[in-house]
Amino acid sequence: LKFSLRSIAKNGRNVGRVFLITETLPEWCNTDTVNHIYYESRKDVYKQNDMIMAWLTAIKRKEIAGIFLNADDDYFYIKETDFQNYPLYLKGVLPTTTVGKQDMGGENYVRSLINTRAILQSANLNVMNYEQHCCSYVVPELITQYQHVFESAYLLEKGATFNSIMGNIIDQHLTNIKIVKRKDNKIKGCYGIVDLKKQIGDTECFSITDEAMNNGVRDVLNFMFSEKCKYEK
């Protein structure tokens, strides 16, 4: 999270307010620049269900209004990025079966993608896959309008993916957000900055697997983002 915030502070342009949706705000966070939305993560449900409930909780806050961007704590921006004109990145089409899809993130995750497709079809929406490992859009007004869709997704055993539900709703209702199809970037490790850049190509952002920090990524992040940023005390 600290490296992620440093990367946004260094390379982000037109960045507005920053909110952390979490149970406990890290003690190193600067509360003058980081806003806290309390949410107690549900350990008894699948992570996709938990994410949906987190956003349904967050948009009830009065200070959350208008369109904003959602980022996980392992998204790192290594090139100058205009967040005010950020595209909605598309991955492809949601799968219909788990057969041959294990490389997409494991069987449980693929089942959540299949659930997402079914939920979208029942709501007469497109079935595109917006599960890119980079910032994605959140539109509170549209979440409220389609709350029944998100609540139905939450009730499924493996849930459904928030980003793809949101992305397909945006595709149907908003014309001012550019949709771009591109290669996703989630890496397992690297042998230095040159290797990292070779893996991620021309994209501005990358994400990591759980083991990546111990496979060279920590050293690279320490080098690129060694200085404190405005989001830290």
Side-chain angles (χ1 to χ4, degrees):
L1 175 59
K2 190 178 292 185
F3 285 132
S4 180
L5 288 172
R6 287 180 181 181
S7 78
I8 291 172
K10 181 177 181 179
N11 294 318
R13 303 294 178 265
N14 297 313
V15 179
R17 292 180 297 167
V18 170
F19 292 84
L20 290 185
I21 304 173
T22 179
E23 185 174 352
T24 304
L25 195 67
E27 57 86 23
W28 50 263
C29 281
N30 181 352
T31 53
D32 291 332
T33 53
V34 177
N35 302 276
H36 182 211
I37 295 180
Y38 176 83
Y39 175 71
E40 185 175 353
S41 184
R42 294 282 304 274
K43 306 300 182 185
D44 58 330
V45 298
Y46 187 55
K47 61 182 180 180
Q48 301 302 329
N49 306 65
D50 192 43
M51 184 178 296
I52 288 174
M53 187 53 64
W55 283 117
L56 290 177
T57 300
I59 65 168
K60 294 177 182 178
R61 292 280 293 266
K62 293 181 179 179
E63 63 265 47
I64 297 292
I67 300 174
F68 59 96
L69 290 168
N70 156 38
D72 286 356
D73 60 0
D74 62 343
Y75 295 171
F76 309 104
Y77 283 83
I78 63 172
K79 296 179 182 178
E80 186 173 304
T81 303
D82 183 359
F83 285 100
Q84 190 171 321
N85 298 289
Y86 200 75
L88 176 61
Y89 286 112
L90 171 67
K91 194 169 187 174
V93 181
L94 290 164
T96 58
T97 176
T98 60
V99 177
K101 304 294 182 180
Q102 288 76 10
D103 62 339
M104 294 183 72
E107 184 174 346
N108 287 339
Y109 178 62
V110 177
R111 289 190 181 282
S112 74
L113 294 178
I114 294 170
N115 287 346
T116 306
R117 185 186 182 101
I119 287 285
L120 290 167
Q121 286 178 323
S122 68
N124 295 316
L125 294 164
N126 290 334
V127 292
M128 305 308 292
N129 184 343
Y130 289 95
E131 304 306 313
Q132 287 270 357
H133 289 89
C134 61
C135 282
S136 57
Y137 280 91
V138 178
V139 187
E141 181 180 351
L142 291 177
I143 295 176
T144 300
Q145 182 178 338
Y146 284 86
Q147 186 161 336
H148 62 289
V149 175
F150 289 100
E151 290 178 344
S152 296
Y154 178 78
L155 295 175
L156 297 173
E157 183 181 357
K158 299 303 178 185
T161 58
F162 175 86
N163 290 340
S164 284
I165 296 177
M166 187 81 265
N168 283 285
I169 293 173
I170 287 172
D171 180 31
Q172 182 158 313
H173 289 274
L174 301 180
T175 58
N176 60 327
I177 297 177
K178 184 179 180 181
I179 298 176
V180 176
K181 185 176 181 180
R182 73 169 184 184
K183 171 183 174 290
D184 194 13
N185 276 315
K186 186 170 185 177
I187 67 171
K188 297 179 180 179
C190 62
Y191 299 103
I193 293 179
V194 174
D195 181 42
L196 171 66
K197 290 182 177 180
K198 182 179 179 181
Q199 289 190 60
I200 67 174
D202 295 330
T203 56
E204 80 295 339
C205 177
F206 73 98
S207 182
I208 58 175
T209 60
D210 291 341
E211 69 272 16
M213 289 295 275
N214 296 322
N215 291 339
V217 172
R218 187 186 306 277
D219 292 337
V220 171
L221 293 175
N222 265 318
F223 179 80
M224 289 192 296
F225 309 115
S226 59
E227 297 181 3
K228 280 186 175 183
C229 70
K230 62 182 179 180
Y231 304 119
E232 301 172 67
K233 289 180 181 178

